[in-house]
Amino acid sequence: MPLQQFTDAELQAKAEELGLVKPGEPIPTAAMQSRVKAAVVEDRRATTRQEKPADARLAKSIVVQPGGVILIDGEPMPWLVAKQPMDIGLNPEGISTVRLTLLAESVQVLKPKTDSPESE
């Protein structure tokens, strides 16, 4: 992992945001400065995760076992699947498909942003 660089202003702002120091006060100890640096690193990671969505990938294999266990590339699927019929399309000459129902406590569907001109 590359060495992280921090500006004094960035560390000071984060320490104040976290309530570790009052505005204008220096960060008193090396231990506290380490905590602030860790918080800045986590903020950077969160920003990177938001900017770079996970790459979609094609599963090499999907195995549906009796009792509801589903293995994707040899790993158990981490979500609960409803006990409803699955739609399985086998295509020996290309890519096959599996359609199933996932259980969720809540579902949110976001409307895409439109670039329509505003009326004057």
Side-chain angles (χ1 to χ4, degrees):
M1 186 155 101
L3 184 62
Q4 297 278 333
Q5 298 292 323
F6 309 98
T7 65
D8 291 339
E10 183 180 27
L11 294 176
Q12 184 67 34
K14 191 62 177 176
E16 291 173 11
E17 177 187 329
L18 294 171
L20 298 174
V21 296
K22 294 179 183 170
E25 286 184 356
I27 301 170
T29 65
M32 188 177 291
Q33 191 168 32
S34 292
R35 285 181 56 196
V36 174
K37 286 179 180 178
V40 171
V41 168
E42 186 53 38
D43 285 352
R44 290 177 182 177
R45 285 182 183 156
T47 300
T48 302
R49 283 190 298 263
Q50 290 173 356
E51 291 172 358
K52 294 182 181 180
D55 291 333
R57 62 179 197 230
L58 179 68
K60 300 292 181 196
S61 71
I62 298 175
V63 177
V64 180
Q65 298 178 339
V69 175
I70 299 172
L71 301 176
I72 300 176
D73 294 339
E75 296 293 322
M77 187 166 162
W79 300 284
L80 294 175
V81 177
K83 291 186 178 185
Q84 300 206 355
M86 291 183 189
D87 180 18
I88 300 174
L90 299 176
N91 183 359
E93 297 175 10
I95 297 173
S96 299
T97 60
V98 177
R99 190 178 330 195
L100 47 84
T101 303
L102 296 178
L103 299 170
E105 289 183 12
S106 73
V107 175
Q108 182 179 18
V109 179
L110 302 176
K111 185 176 180 180
K113 295 178 182 177
T114 58
D115 292 333
S116 62
E118 295 182 32
S119 59
E120 295 180 16

